[in-house]
Amino acid sequence: MELDNEAKWRALAEEIWTKDSSKVRKVRAEIVKDKIWDTLEAQSFDFRSLLVLENSQLLEKYLWPGYGEEASNYHVLLIALMVTIKRREGLAVWSIFEDNPEGFSSLFRRILSMSVDRSVTLLLRNHILAFLITAFQSLDNGLVRKECAPLVSISIWHQLHNEQVREARFEQHNQLRKAWRAAGRRYDASDETQKARIQFERMWLCSMILDFVDYLLDVANADSATVTFCEHFLELLTDLESQLPTRRYVHTLLVDMNLPALVETSPVYKHSSNALLRDLYRLLQHYMFFSLNEHTGEQYTRDQAYDIHSAKLARLQRTCFKHFKSKLTLLALSHYGALGQRTELESHLESLDDTELVVLANHLGFRTHYPSHTKIEVNRGFILEVLLSYHERRKLFQETVQDLSTVPTEDDAYEPSLLRNESYDGSRSLAIPKLNLQYLTVGDFLWRSFILYRCESFFEIRKDMEDAIQRLQPKYTAGGNGVAFDGFSKMAIPIVKPAIMEVAPPNVGMVQPAYVRAEVTMDVARLSENVLPEWDSLRPGDIVYLLGVTAESTGANGHSSETGSSTKAFQFLRTAEIVQILDDRSKPLRDRAPDNINGFSTKPRQRRLVVNIDARAYARDEESKDLGKRDVYESLNVVVRRKGRENNFKRVLESIKSLTLSNTPVPSWLKDVFLGYGDPSGASYKSLPSRLGSVDFRDTFLDWQHLVESLPGWTIEPDETEKASFSPPYILETDSQPAPVTRPAKKRRREEKEPVRISEQSVRVSTYKPPNNGPYISASQRKNHIRFTPAQVDAITSGTQPGLTVIVGPPGTGKTDVATQIISNIYHDFPNQRTLLIAHSNQALNQLFQKITRLDIDDRHLLRLGHGEEDLETEANYGKHGRVESFLDNRAWYLGEVGKLASNLGAPGAHDSSCETAGYFKTVYVTPTWTKYWTNVETSGFDSQTIQDAFPFYQYFSNALQPIFPLHATEEELVDIAKGCQRHIDKVFTELEDIRPFELLRNARDKANYLLVKEARVIAMTSTHAAMRREEIADLGFHYDNVIMEEAAQITEIENFIPFALQNPKDNELPLQRIVLCGDHLQNSPIIQNLAFRQFANLEQSMFLRFVRLGVPVINLDQQGRARPSIAELYKWRYERLGDLPVVLNGPEYQRANAGFRYDYQFLDVPDYKGSGEKQPSPHFVQNLGEAEYAVAIYQYMRLLGYAASSISILTTYAGQRALIRDVLSHRCARNRLFGMPRIVTTVDKYQGEQNDYIILSLVRTNRVGYLRDVRRLTVALSRARLGLYILGRRELFESCYELKPAFDILLRRPTTLRLVPGEMAPTARGIGDEVDDTDMTGVEHLGQYVFEMTQAKVAQLNAGNVPQLPPAADTVTAEAQVVENEDVEQPEELDI
């Protein structure tokens, strides 16, 4: 039935709007009404039908091109429906309207009119509300902002109930009075049409609120559509309250209309079935009572919030004493603590009759009258609720967070609101906060992040628990008194109840025990040899889960999203933190002897986990047990573990929680930009007073010509003391004052996206001679050899200056090289500053760190934190303990140098016994010797012979290049050499002085912490490690000045933020000077599994993307050096002015054709294979056998031609297809030396940041495009190949996809059947543009037969010894590839506190 319906819609689309896309079809009202609207209405606007219409480009090809003033209401509503569907699918919404802003304005006005038209059905008004919610979430779009802003401007204050309320606001903020008068003048200057529009804008929000309240009060007609409308409207109000530009005036109106009292006294709100409505209201309530000044954006402190609440109560007391002295004297004399409690205040007000309550409300300035056409009844209950709601003390958001646990129980896992999020399909609102463009305060951002991260973590935990239980297959034992498990899960082990060993008394000020120590005994005899080590690898601090499972529990979750009821997979859930693992002899696992007797290994039978159980949950459980309830710990019968990276949630949540509670500030220069207000360019170096007037660029420029090319449009002025051109290093000097801002006229100000700045036109260039570091080759500087492009130089310049730098790096444009040069410049130009280097994955961090080690940066100042350090391809160990060992190794070498110096000077004694004695030796012997030498040289007038004859360290430098002083050297050169020798010797003692603390500190942990806090100047870690260890690192006193973040667009916003706060504030501010974000928001975003958190809450938003949306100045790297220009064309359309570097235009490998292939890239149309296309053995596990066979056949063909297996990667868009391709490869290639395995088989998402010479890409889908409609994913897929790209997919499906059209228009210019060139072997001499005869492969069967015949011929030739051996194949996925494929498991190091 569903397929028939889809076919009908597709047939209609083909008939009317998709058949000939070259011309715009006129929209006929009868088609819109009869063939589209009526059918949809009969189907109750079924989502599947709407999705089919959206996929067929109804909006892009028919509705919008044919829109005009004469368009029918059905036409307008269909456009709104299509926009909401696009929003639900996470697609770009507004770009289609940019070609006709006047038409969009007309459309928006008509939709607004329908939103307040009660003759429109509630079902349609729900879709209209969804459209408006999308609009108010897109205020970064100028087209949308222009229409939305008047609806929430100060003009809506015309709806306040009296002038006194407005005047009170004006008295608080005089700027409001000016804005009010300006709005009045605009109205007076308007014509009648414009005045009518302004009047509508003034009344729109108030009318919507009154409609909403009427629906809440009409319980008799409150069907599901009514409730959904109310839910959507609460979502809209929450969005308006949660952003300062919209909240500024809306908040006053909501308070004036007594919205909290109207909602809480309504029968629909109180109805037991409307739990979602109540949750949404509580979220709105959170924002309405958020402790904030709406007009300045200042977040009130706890003391300020208390003072404001006290002022409210004081006013109440004065009013009561003045007007109701006889009845409310006790109220007037009560203390604020009592009056702030709802029940206490209510008991005082009970003495007033109904009329007196209204009078009191009027005296206090509350609204007590509403329009007569509404259903609002101002009765005693309502007035009482108004007074109580306004005056009761409410918890601050910090107090709310303090009460929330960072580990789940069964109640948290099956909380109805969490279950509701799981069933999200876009049709209903959700009671969770959203991440959007702007935040009220930093605390608001942290609160939202904590709530969302906690919900997502608990959701994933529950899913993992249910999966483990389903695999265990619980059932009742024969007697029916116990539970047995027939199944097996490598992540779960049945246990006997845990034994509680110790309950520590509470810490001071706490209620729950300090810790609850328990022991869990596990029978591990059934575990296989590959599973047991996974359990044994659990570390102290890891979290395990203790479950209480009954036979009724299954892995299936049968909850109802509507009612919140559920069939729980487990009855109890308690978390426990590993303290120690003991073997079956009760010895710590790490200290145990090998399990062997007389040379024979014995299989362990038991493991015991010593754990700390969640103390807060234990305290509640004990209270429940005292009340006669079931003992939870008697019922726990399963222990479950999770994968390492997924199980880091507790430490991350605790980090976010501590930041939320501590009112963490951001640097003052960043605050407004971070929150999304003010000038978006306000944090860039050109706008900051701390801008540097001159910068030493050291080895950034290779020569004078490179400098000139890198600064196009600038006048370069050589220093007066230099020639017209000279060699680097260069110091560039410009005006250090912020660039002047030209202010447009007031009328134009609103139209300007940002202030117009006058850019610098000239730069003064000077140079210097780098210091001589001694006569040894190892002392020479390691220099940059990359000829940076002008855009890269712009990025390096900005990153070296103070402030915020956002670098957009398309694929292959050298983001990493730019970041390393920025780090090098900062390291040398600011020797007292420290830089924190952050990346999302261990792999990306290691790639960046390896490049840093090749620069002129002292190894002793480099530190890599986290367990990804072992994957670094460097000789030295850059981890904490490796660096400590390096310091101690260096100590021995430098002390040996001191011994040589003592021998040179003939100084008796053990001067080389310690760093301390070496220091004394320098003071007593070395420094006086140098002083005497330079005195003699100066006395001789820097005579060449004296410089050489008096030199006192010939013996010490006897192993340097001889002679120390070359013949015919000038006096200046001789002095420079001598000073270089002195620098070399001084460095010996400087290094020993730095090493001395490691000599004094005895504890390895103290040494490692000293290294982090004092010695390291470039510290690298993943964002996950930073989030897990934030509090411990900050408590050590760690400080830093700069943050450079790689892959910033792949990191969630809270993980972007935490690295800014790894240190404690100074003077109530984080002492950061630079923040550099490198990334590409046009590639994949952070991966969020849950659809609700990803689409509704926007948890996948990165700070990088938000800054781009806000209009923060970005530097676009504009030349790629990865792919052939022809392949790069497939994704260049995504970027502005992306060009090619000379290497890809002229490099030999880029000039050669791909051996055996007619084209360097092709899209290959793959029809049904054996009668079928895509299949889904399980949800989201999509497979396509035809494409899998085709991909493997192409790989085999390439191997037979001599392509190296390591140069080939096979990518796919779904994990199910990855598994299928691996299966085919294992049967066809793994054990065949002709083929072997390719470098990697993985998904597109996992391969972001990687590249290979040749990519075979399987798109998998044949029914629907699926999540590949997110063009960011396609960009990643198309940009991984350097030399060859071969894409397998269904042409008719992908060529009709609107979002992917630019790429597929290019792809489909070439044949969609594989064109091969017979007789070539790799590498070929054929040029990329040479004409050649080719052979057409008609399909996978044809190619398979061709490869089979080639294989047979190749085997015969090999047996005859006539063919040279093929390039080596990878029997398994290479270690390098496994870094990509395996999840980056971020395990914490042992706590170094």
Side-chain angles (χ1 to χ4, degrees):
M1 190 70 178
E2 180 183 335
L3 292 177
D4 291 342
N5 184 53
E6 182 174 331
K8 290 177 181 177
W9 285 119
R10 294 198 182 281
L12 180 65
E14 179 67 20
E15 175 190 349
I16 298 175
W17 64 84
T18 63
K19 188 174 183 179
D20 184 1
S21 59
S22 62
K23 60 181 181 180
V24 177
R25 298 205 173 243
K26 183 179 179 181
V27 176
R28 291 160 52 191
E30 62 272 16
I31 291 179
V32 170
K33 173 66 170 64
D34 301 337
K35 293 193 173 183
I36 302 178
W37 182 266
D38 289 348
T39 308
L40 285 172
E41 191 172 37
Q43 297 174 353
S44 298
F45 300 95
D46 178 65
F47 175 70
R48 296 181 188 86
S49 295
L50 292 171
L51 188 59
V52 173
L53 288 171
E54 195 282 321
N55 285 337
S56 67
Q57 303 172 47
L58 173 65
L59 177 62
E60 294 86 351
K61 291 188 175 181
Y62 191 61
L63 294 177
W64 180 241
Y67 175 78
E69 292 291 341
E70 72 286 353
S72 67
N73 285 343
Y74 301 111
H75 190 160
V76 172
L77 287 169
L78 280 173
I79 292 177
L81 284 170
M82 291 299 102
V83 168
T84 60
I85 295 300
K86 277 185 170 291
R87 171 198 174 235
R88 286 170 65 171
E89 292 297 292
L91 302 172
V93 174
W94 306 112
S95 58
I96 185 179
F97 300 108
E98 291 174 354
D99 63 336
N100 185 6
E102 293 80 11
F104 179 76
S105 181
S106 165
L107 171 74
F108 200 91
R109 292 290 143 184
R110 291 185 64 176
I111 292 175
L112 283 177
S113 299
M114 293 182 192
S115 69
V116 293
D117 184 356
R118 298 200 69 163
S119 66
V120 177
T121 66
L122 275 173
L123 182 61
L124 293 178
R125 292 184 76 185
N126 280 327
H127 287 292
I128 291 172
L129 266 182
F131 174 90
L132 293 173
I133 289 169
T134 302
F136 276 102
Q137 288 177 346
S138 308
L139 297 180
D140 54 316
N141 185 287
L143 201 65
V144 177
R145 185 170 61 250
K146 183 179 179 182
E147 303 303 324
C148 290
L151 302 176
V152 290
S153 70
I154 198 170
S155 295
I156 66 174
W157 281 9
H158 281 278
Q159 307 307 314
L160 300 180
H161 75 281
N162 60 36
E163 291 287 339
Q164 288 76 20
V165 176
R166 275 196 299 274
E167 285 299 319
R169 299 295 184 275
F170 295 158
E171 290 297 326
Q172 294 172 356
H173 304 281
N174 193 46
Q175 289 294 328
L176 296 176
R177 191 186 303 276
K178 294 180 181 179
W180 176 260
R181 290 172 178 170
R185 287 194 295 270
R186 283 196 298 272
Y187 178 81
D188 294 338
S190 301
D191 57 27
E192 292 304 316
T193 303
Q194 189 65 19
K195 283 183 178 179
R197 175 171 175 167
I198 293 174
Q199 288 173 349
F200 176 81
E201 292 167 350
R202 291 174 177 176
M203 298 180 60
W204 176 78
L205 183 58
C206 184
S207 300
M208 290 290 289
I209 293 172
L210 293 175
D211 266 4
F212 161 70
V213 173
D214 280 352
Y215 286 126
L216 285 177
L217 296 173
D218 189 10
V219 68
N221 299 309
D223 56 10
S224 61
T226 303
V227 175
T228 302
F229 175 85
C230 295
E231 292 167 354
H232 278 314
F233 190 71
L234 283 174
E235 180 189 348
L236 175 62
L237 290 181
T238 302
D239 288 346
L240 297 179
E241 280 280 288
S242 62
Q243 296 185 94
L244 197 59
T246 54
R247 175 191 178 96
R248 185 166 281 127
Y249 305 117
V250 169
H251 179 76
T252 300
L253 179 63
L254 297 186
V255 172
D256 179 75
M257 297 192 73
N258 302 318
L259 187 69
L262 290 171
V263 173
E264 293 189 36
T265 57
S266 66
V268 172
Y269 172 81
K270 296 176 181 178
H271 198 280
S272 60
S273 64
N274 297 330
L276 173 58
L277 182 70
R278 287 188 290 276
D279 288 343
L280 283 163
Y281 169 70
R282 279 190 284 270
L283 183 59
L284 172 63
Q285 196 177 43
H286 163 84
Y287 281 112
M288 283 195 67
F289 295 100
F290 194 88
S291 186
L292 172 80
N293 185 316
E294 286 78 34
H295 303 290
T296 65
E298 175 192 4
Q299 178 180 314
Y300 296 130
T301 64
R302 291 173 185 261
D303 290 342
Q304 289 173 324
Y306 176 78
D307 290 343
I308 291 170
H309 182 249
S310 298
K312 290 180 181 179
L313 295 178
R315 180 165 175 260
L316 172 67
Q317 288 180 317
R318 289 194 301 270
T319 303
C320 291
F321 192 77
K322 179 178 180 181
H323 299 284
F324 303 99
K325 182 177 180 180
S326 60
K327 291 188 175 183
L328 297 179
T329 301
L330 282 178
L331 184 153
L333 298 177
S334 296
H335 60 84
Y336 294 157
L339 282 184
Q341 299 178 25
R342 170 179 279 261
T343 53
E344 183 75 15
L345 180 58
E346 187 175 9
S347 66
H348 285 296
L349 296 177
E350 285 295 331
S351 60
L352 299 181
D353 60 30
D354 295 358
T355 304
E356 289 171 328
L357 270 178
V358 173
V359 171
L360 175 60
N362 284 326
H363 283 310
L364 291 171
F366 293 107
R367 181 194 288 261
T368 56
H369 298 282
Y370 291 88
S372 58
H373 64 80
T374 67
K375 299 178 181 178
I376 300 172
E377 182 181 350
V378 180
N379 54 28
R380 179 184 182 85
F382 172 72
I383 295 296
L384 194 60
E385 182 59 39
V386 168
L387 296 172
L388 296 176
S389 177
Y390 183 79
H391 291 101
E392 71 173 310
R393 183 192 177 278
R394 299 178 184 272
K395 284 186 176 181
L396 300 177
F397 72 90
Q398 295 98 329
E399 296 173 294
T400 305
V401 169
Q402 181 69 59
D403 294 339
L404 294 175
S405 172
T406 55
V407 291
T409 65
E410 68 279 0
D411 293 333
D412 298 316
Y414 287 102
E415 185 182 358
S417 60
L418 196 61
L419 298 178
R420 197 185 299 124
N421 297 339
E422 183 184 347
S423 60
Y424 174 74
D425 63 0
S427 62
R428 300 285 293 271
S429 299
L430 293 177
I432 53 178
K434 300 175 184 176
L435 303 183
N436 207 353
L437 274 179
Q438 299 161 320
Y439 303 110
L440 298 178
T441 64
V442 176
D444 172 44
F445 160 71
L446 292 169
W447 176 82
R448 299 189 206 196
S449 299
F450 178 77
I451 298 298
L452 291 174
Y453 196 98
R454 180 176 182 268
C455 287
E456 194 207 12
S457 299
F458 289 5
F459 162 79
E460 291 178 351
I461 289 170
R462 178 170 61 81
K463 284 298 184 184
D464 287 346
M465 299 303 106
E466 290 175 346
D467 178 71
I469 293 169
Q470 187 176 34
R471 294 174 186 275
L472 285 177
Q473 301 175 19
K475 70 170 188 178
Y476 279 124
T477 55
N481 297 323
V483 178
F485 299 92
D486 287 348
F488 172 79
S489 169
K490 68 177 184 178
M491 308 303 289
I493 298 176
I495 60 170
V496 183
K497 65 178 182 178
I500 306 298
M501 300 166 58
E502 180 184 3
V503 180
N507 292 326
V508 176
M510 304 299 289
V511 177
Q512 70 265 19
Y515 62 86
V516 179
R517 188 69 46 83
E519 187 175 87
V520 178
T521 301
M522 303 187 304
D523 182 359
V524 297
R526 294 178 57 195
L527 300 184
S528 62
E529 293 181 357
N530 63 327
V531 174
L532 179 60
E534 295 181 10
W535 282 93
D536 288 346
S537 66
L538 289 172
R539 301 164 56 89
D542 284 351
I543 302 296
V544 294
Y545 306 85
L546 305 176
L547 303 179
V549 181
T550 63
E552 289 89 356
S553 301
T554 66
N557 179 11
H559 73 267
S560 165
S561 61
E562 295 296 326
T563 63
S565 64
S566 66
T567 301
K568 295 181 179 180
F570 46 86
Q571 297 300 309
F572 301 108
L573 166 63
R574 296 293 177 269
T575 56
E577 189 171 310
I578 299 287
V579 175
Q580 196 176 36
I581 304 180
L582 307 177
D583 62 13
D584 39 15
R585 293 186 291 275
S586 296
K587 293 186 176 181
L589 201 59
R590 293 187 179 183
D591 302 334
R592 68 188 178 94
D595 291 318
N596 62 75
I597 301 174
N598 298 326
F600 295 95
S601 61
T602 60
K603 189 172 182 180
R605 303 192 60 81
Q606 194 178 83
R607 290 283 185 264
R608 285 191 285 168
L609 304 180
V610 179
V611 299
N612 285 337
I613 290 177
D614 177 15
R616 179 184 293 196
Y618 181 83
R620 289 198 304 266
D621 295 337
E622 288 300 295
E623 291 176 2
S624 298
K625 189 168 70 171
D626 292 342
L627 296 175
K629 295 185 178 179
R630 187 176 179 180
D631 187 345
V632 171
Y633 301 93
E634 293 285 339
S635 305
L636 299 179
N637 54 1
V638 175
V639 60
V640 183
R641 64 182 175 88
R642 300 175 72 215
K643 295 178 182 177
R645 185 176 179 85
E646 298 168 356
N647 212 29
N648 294 328
F649 77 97
K650 182 174 184 284
R651 287 186 177 87
V652 177
L653 275 175
E654 287 175 343
S655 292
I656 304 173
K657 184 174 182 177
S658 68
L659 286 172
T660 308
L661 297 177
S662 61
N663 290 322
T664 302
V666 296
S668 56
W669 55 266
L670 180 67
K671 182 178 178 182
D672 286 349
V673 172
F674 175 78
L675 294 177
Y677 311 126
D679 181 3
S681 63
S684 63
Y685 79 95
K686 295 179 181 179
S687 303
L688 295 178
S690 58
R691 175 184 178 181
L692 302 173
S694 65
V695 176
D696 182 357
F697 281 87
R698 293 179 52 79
D699 57 352
T700 302
F701 304 103
L702 303 186
D703 49 49
W704 184 265
Q705 183 61 31
H706 184 203
L707 172 65
V708 173
E709 294 170 353
S710 299
L711 301 174
W714 286 67
T715 300
I716 299 176
E717 302 175 355
D719 188 77
E720 297 174 356
T721 62
E722 302 293 340
K723 306 174 187 177
S725 64
F726 44 88
S727 299
Y730 298 126
I731 297 176
L732 304 189
E733 184 177 354
T734 58
D735 184 5
S736 62
Q737 296 302 314
V741 180
T742 61
R743 302 299 300 181
K746 285 186 178 180
K747 290 183 179 179
R748 290 177 53 210
R749 250 179 237 169
R750 292 186 298 274
E751 305 299 324
E752 294 284 353
K753 289 187 176 178
E754 57 182 57
V756 180
R757 298 189 179 274
I758 302 174
S759 63
E760 304 89 346
Q761 295 299 318
S762 63
V763 58
R764 293 176 292 280
V765 184
S766 58
T767 189
Y768 60 92
K769 184 178 180 180
N772 187 320
N773 291 321
Y776 297 101
I777 296 177
S778 60
S780 60
Q781 294 182 353
R782 292 168 286 184
K783 294 185 178 180
N784 162 59
H785 298 289
I786 299 173
R787 198 172 190 86
F788 291 112
T789 66
Q792 289 175 322
V793 169
D794 191 15
I796 293 168
T797 301
S798 179
T800 306
Q801 289 273 4
L804 172 67
T805 299
V806 180
I807 303 171
V808 177
T813 51
K815 293 188 296 290
T816 304
D817 293 323
V818 168
T820 54
Q821 190 62 34
I822 292 172
I823 292 167
S824 177
N825 287 355
I826 293 173
Y827 175 84
H828 291 286
D829 291 354
F830 311 98
N832 295 322
Q833 293 188 11
R834 314 177 79 207
T835 299
L836 183 64
L837 182 58
I838 299 291
H840 173 61
S841 65
N842 280 311
Q843 181 192 3
L845 188 63
N846 287 344
Q847 288 176 351
L848 180 53
F849 200 80
Q850 283 161 199
K851 290 193 174 186
I852 294 172
T853 62
R854 295 195 285 267
L855 296 177
D856 190 32
I857 295 178
D858 197 327
D859 284 356
R860 67 196 178 99
H861 292 142
L862 297 175
L863 179 62
R864 167 70 163 91
L865 297 181
H867 287 273
E869 185 276 332
E870 52 262 26
D871 297 324
L872 271 174
E873 297 176 4
T874 55
E875 293 182 4
N877 184 338
Y878 290 95
K880 276 201 296 189
H881 299 293
R883 287 291 84 203
V884 170
E885 291 171 7
S886 176
F887 268 88
L888 297 178
D889 291 343
N890 291 342
R891 171 183 177 273
W893 189 86
Y894 284 120
L895 288 176
E897 294 297 291
V898 172
K900 290 168 59 179
L901 283 169
S903 175
N904 182 104
L905 299 177
H911 302 293
D912 58 352
S913 62
S914 70
C915 297
E916 184 178 10
T917 58
Y920 293 142
F921 170 70
K922 180 192 177 188
T923 303
V924 175
Y925 289 95
V926 178
T927 301
T929 300
W930 278 117
T931 303
K932 180 180 178 181
Y933 170 70
W934 288 115
T935 301
N936 290 338
V937 170
E938 291 172 5
T939 303
S940 69
F942 292 92
D943 176 65
S944 299
Q945 198 62 38
T946 304
I947 293 173
Q948 298 179 62
D949 293 345
F951 187 71
F953 293 102
Y954 277 113
Q955 178 184 336
Y956 175 74
F957 288 108
S958 61
N959 61 343
L961 291 175
Q962 299 297 326
I964 297 292
F965 298 100
L967 295 175
H968 312 299
T970 65
E971 293 175 355
E972 183 180 348
E973 291 171 341
L974 293 174
V975 170
D976 185 57
I977 292 171
K979 288 184 176 179
C981 292
Q982 184 175 4
R983 287 191 189 94
H984 177 84
I985 292 174
D986 287 345
K987 183 182 178 184
V988 170
F989 293 101
T990 302
E991 294 275 355
L992 286 171
E993 185 64 28
D994 289 341
I995 293 171
R996 187 178 177 189
F998 297 96
E999 191 177 72
L1000 298 175
L1001 295 169
R1002 297 302 178 190
N1003 186 290
R1005 182 175 298 171
D1006 292 339
K1007 292 177 181 178
N1009 289 337
Y1010 180 86
L1011 174 73
L1012 170 64
V1013 174
K1014 296 295 184 182
E1015 280 298 321
R1017 287 179 52 200
V1018 179
I1019 304 98
M1021 66 183 78
T1022 63
S1023 56
T1024 303
H1025 187 87
M1028 291 165 55
R1029 302 296 305 277
R1030 192 212 75 85
E1031 195 164 1
E1032 296 125 54
I1033 291 173
D1035 288 346
L1036 289 173
F1038 178 59
H1039 68 91
Y1040 52 97
D1041 307 275
N1042 315 296
V1043 175
I1044 296 178
M1045 198 171 295
E1046 180 72 293
E1047 293 183 322
Q1050 289 183 259
I1051 305 174
T1052 59
E1053 190 157 16
I1054 185 60
E1055 290 180 314
N1056 282 133
F1057 179 85
I1058 288 176
F1060 301 165
L1062 290 184
Q1063 57 187 331
N1064 293 319
K1066 294 180 181 178
D1067 300 324
N1068 199 33
E1069 186 173 320
L1070 292 175
L1072 289 177
Q1073 298 193 35
R1074 292 172 188 81
I1075 294 174
V1076 180
L1077 304 179
C1078 303
D1080 184 2
H1081 59 292
L1082 299 180
Q1083 296 188 60
N1084 281 346
S1085 60
I1087 297 174
I1088 304 298
Q1089 298 295 338
N1090 185 287
L1091 183 65
F1093 302 127
R1094 183 171 70 247
Q1095 286 190 1
F1096 183 86
N1098 205 21
L1099 187 56
E1100 68 172 0
Q1101 173 175 272
S1102 65
M1103 187 183 297
F1104 187 97
L1105 173 61
R1106 188 167 68 89
F1107 281 170
V1108 172
R1109 290 181 62 197
L1110 284 168
V1112 171
V1114 301
I1115 300 168
N1116 293 285
L1117 305 185
D1118 56 5
Q1119 294 188 53
Q1120 67 90 22
R1122 172 186 295 174
R1124 295 187 194 272
S1126 56
I1127 295 176
E1129 286 295 328
L1130 297 172
Y1131 54 86
K1132 278 184 180 179
W1133 59 275
R1134 288 281 285 156
Y1135 302 94
E1136 186 179 356
R1137 297 188 302 274
L1138 179 59
D1140 300 307
L1141 288 170
V1143 65
V1144 299
L1145 297 172
N1146 307 318
E1149 62 180 343
Y1150 294 98
Q1151 293 297 310
R1152 287 195 300 267
N1154 294 341
F1157 292 93
R1158 173 67 179 84
Y1159 299 105
D1160 51 5
Y1161 72 83
Q1162 267 192 280
F1163 176 84
L1164 307 175
D1165 186 25
V1166 183
D1168 286 353
Y1169 179 69
K1170 296 183 178 179
S1172 64
E1174 69 173 68
K1175 293 183 178 180
Q1176 287 196 56
S1178 60
H1180 311 297
F1181 198 77
V1182 188
Q1183 296 181 331
N1184 185 320
L1185 180 59
E1187 290 186 18
E1189 293 281 3
Y1190 213 145
V1192 173
I1194 293 175
Y1195 168 71
Q1196 289 178 305
Y1197 172 72
M1198 296 178 72
R1199 290 290 293 133
L1200 291 171
L1201 296 188
Y1203 288 88
S1206 61
S1207 68
I1208 306 170
S1209 296
I1210 302 179
L1211 305 183
T1212 180
T1213 51
Y1214 285 88
Q1217 185 74 348
R1218 175 187 61 189
L1220 181 59
I1221 292 174
R1222 285 178 175 174
D1223 188 48
V1224 176
L1225 281 167
S1226 66
H1227 283 85
R1228 304 269 175 82
C1229 304
R1231 287 178 288 275
N1232 189 325
R1233 67 189 183 95
L1234 283 176
F1235 306 119
M1237 296 292 282
R1239 176 185 173 187
I1240 191 171
V1241 180
T1242 188
T1243 61
V1244 170
D1245 289 351
K1246 293 283 187 182
Y1247 208 59
Q1248 180 163 344
E1250 286 297 295
Q1251 63 182 19
N1252 207 348
D1253 291 346
Y1254 306 98
I1255 298 293
I1256 303 169
L1257 172 64
S1258 170
L1259 301 181
V1260 187
R1261 300 306 296 262
T1262 58
N1263 295 334
R1264 291 190 177 91
V1265 176
Y1267 73 168
L1268 201 63
R1269 288 190 72 187
D1270 184 344
V1271 72
R1272 295 174 299 181
R1273 186 166 281 106
L1274 180 72
T1275 303
V1276 176
L1278 298 179
S1279 60
R1280 300 305 97 196
R1282 295 179 61 244
L1283 304 175
L1285 174 63
Y1286 302 97
I1287 305 172
L1288 309 172
R1290 185 64 59 87
R1291 173 173 181 164
E1292 64 183 23
L1293 177 68
F1294 289 98
E1295 72 175 337
S1296 63
C1297 180
Y1298 177 78
E1299 289 76 17
L1300 312 184
K1301 189 176 186 300
F1304 276 86
D1305 283 349
I1306 300 172
L1307 283 168
L1308 297 177
R1309 292 172 190 166
R1310 295 182 174 180
T1312 57
T1313 55
L1314 185 61
R1315 298 295 178 89
L1316 303 182
V1317 179
E1320 282 190 334
M1321 294 293 290
T1324 181
R1326 174 167 57 95
I1328 190 68
D1330 295 349
E1331 290 297 325
V1332 66
D1333 294 332
D1334 57 53
T1335 299
D1336 188 7
M1337 295 289 109
T1338 57
V1340 62
E1341 296 89 347
H1342 188 181
L1343 179 61
Q1345 181 63 30
Y1346 188 71
V1347 169
F1348 174 75
E1349 293 172 0
M1350 286 182 65
T1351 305
Q1352 297 297 101
K1354 185 73 72 175
V1355 170
Q1357 290 175 332
L1358 283 172
N1359 291 336
N1362 296 329
V1363 179
Q1365 187 174 358
L1366 292 172
D1371 293 330
T1372 58
V1373 176
T1374 64
E1376 182 181 3
Q1378 286 187 12
V1379 174
V1380 180
E1381 182 55 30
N1382 295 336
E1383 292 185 272
D1384 291 305
V1385 178
E1386 184 68 42
Q1387 296 284 358
E1389 300 175 29
E1390 294 183 8
L1391 302 185
D1392 297 339
I1393 306 300

